[in-house]
Every structure is written in C-alpha cells, then in structure tokens.
Amino acid sequence: MTSEELVFDFERVRVHGIGVYEGTGLDVRAVVAGLSRDVRDGFRLDEVPWGRFSHAYGSGEDVLIHLSRMRCADAAAARDARSSLGNSVCHQGTTGSVAPLTVPFLLRIAEDQAAHERVNALVLVAAVACRNHWGNGSRAALLRVADPDDEVTFDGSGYPQNWSVRAGRDAIAADAHIPIALLDDLDPGVREAAACVLAASSGRAWEVSAALHERFRVEGHPRLRAGLVLAIAQLAREHRHEDAAGFTRACWSDPARPPEVRVAAALGWLCLVDDSAPEDLRAVLDELVTPELGRLMAEVPWLRQVDSHSGAGLTLTLKHMFDPAPRPTFPGTWGKPGRFVGWGKPGRFADDPLV
C-alpha cells in the first residue's frame, strides 16, 4: 500500500469488509507492533504516523503536541495537555484509532518521577485499552475488557474500535515491565492505576498475574487491596486462568480476610464462573456490605465506572449481578459530555486521601 493509499476509507470497508486493511499501514495493531524500543524509550514522537489515524475531532496529528506538553515542568500546562489528549482520544466512551499509539509514551510519562501527570497518564492508558461498559455492573460486563471479535464496533470515523482496543492492550504487553515496576511506587494512586493498566494486558499474562499477586500480599491500603483482587480476576477472566476462581473463592470464604478483600473477591468469583451464587457467598455479602464499606469501595475503579456520581457503585453492582433484568448504561466515568476526567472527578487522585 503506497503512502497515497494510507487514508482510511469507510466506504471501502462497507463494500469489501474491514479485512481489506488487516496487516496494512492502516491497521493500528500492526503499527503499534512496529514501534521499536528505541522510538518508545527515546520518546521519538516524530517517528510515529499520528496523522494516519484519528480521534474524536479529526486527524491525530496534534497528539504528539499534547504528549510533549505533558512532560513540561509547568504543572498547569501538563494538566491541560493531558485533559486535551484524553478528551480527544477517548471521547464519550469511544476509543479513537490514534489512541493506542499514545500508550508507550504515556507509560513512560508515568514512570518519570518528575512528571506531573503520572497517575492520569496511567488512567488514560487503562481507558484506551479497555472497552468502556458504562454503568454495567453485571457478571458479564464488570470485568470484560473488550468486545468479542464477532461484535465489531466502530468509532466516529468508521474505524473498528476492536482493533484500537486490542492495539492498546498489545502496547501494554510490550512494555509491561513499566506498570509492573509501578506496582511498588510510593504514590498509592500510581499503584492503583498501574494495576488497572496491567489487568488489560493482552500478553505476558502469567508474569503480570504473578506481579499483581505479589503486590496484593504486601499492599496495606484497603481500597487498593480490593482493586488488586479485581485486577487479578479481570486478567484471569480474559486469559482463562482456571486457578483464579479458586483464589477468589478462598479469599471471600476466609473470615480472616479484611471485608473489602472478601467482597471484592466475591464479585470477582461471580464474574469468573457461571455457577449460581451459593448461600455462603450471599451470607458473606449480607454480613459485610455496610454503608461504610460501600463508601470505601465506591472509589475502586471497577465500581466507580458503575456509578461515579452518587458513590453507590458497590450497591448497584450487587443489584446488577443478582438481578437479571437489563440495565441502561450511562456515562458514569466521563463526567460532562466530551470531557475526559479519568475514572471520576477531575483531580480525583490528587485530592483523594489515599495515605
């Protein structure tokens, strides 16, 4: 395919099918796979074909400007750049085709101790690499990373979001060493967001799972412990790790475990198996789900996406899981229309008293 032909044509897709672009320079999965370690480590943004792909407002050519400004010494400028970038590439639940190309560079911003937007860089990576299931806390959706391959969805330009999400997940797998190292970061917000990023990885699953388990064994923050359980379960669900159902069951059935761990493990177990909820699990939930625990777990990222407004994420998730009636979805993680705010309110991690 010549450079003149490197323009995505939805009409061509309509006639010939999306497979016409598979493996070409317009397949973002192939482009992400072709980014060398030197380009990624060297932050060589000018060697990435941004303009070949798009976001909510058109060509992705401006993405490198936002990424560059996210590294600047001025905190306000870095924050504005991150907001503009997120608003463009992950817009109202839609992942733009240029979005996965940002992942290697956002990960490197996150590992830079001098960067101002470390947490939110990881939040954006997690958003790129996980299809958003707004407000859906059901057993089928809470830990679902992406749409099935046979359910192709498209962004505003007609580009298949399945490819974009997969490319984002592949980019995480290629640089998994970065978020794995960040699981031990001094900033609890970084640790929490790193776990969410790793849970969406498309590869190196056993290595990632081992790192999440290791962090879980030493993590002292209650909310982060709950999140790690769900991260382990999500990764296992995607990669069919049969031992995860046993791990989560052992956690929720162990009275010596903290309440947030037992409840998170119960949710994870329900998402990993098709069995009906046993009476002993229901008894655990009846005993441990209190208003206090609901407030603590409302900020766990998986539950925040179910309800980021009223803080009822845990209650709604349990209702969705035990009530088979379909539930409408709503933009629970995006705030005002068109404005990317990560998993909750703007500045959530900066203001949240995690320590």
Side-chain angles (χ1 to χ4, degrees), residues 90 95 102-103 106-107 119-132 144-145 165 168-169 172 192-201 234 301-302 305 334 340 342-343:
C90 287
T95 302
T102 69
V103 169
L106 289 169
L107 290 176
V119 173
N120 285 313
L122 292 171
V123 169
L124 184 50
V125 169
V128 168
C130 189
R131 185 80 171 90
N132 199 304
R144 193 170 77 194
V145 178
V165 171
R169 298 177 61 212
I172 293 171
E192 180 173 56
C196 294
V197 166
L198 288 167
S201 177
Q234 177 172 297
W302 286 266
Q305 75 176 357
W334 291 81
F340 175 80
W343 282 310

Side-chain angles (χ1 to χ4, degrees), residues 240-264:
R240 296 178 173 81
H241 293 173
E242 296 180 359
D243 60 337
F247 164 73
T248 50
R249 180 162 194 140
C251 284
W252 66 252
S253 62
D254 183 357
R257 296 278 191 179
E260 72 280 355
V261 169
R262 299 184 71 188
V263 171

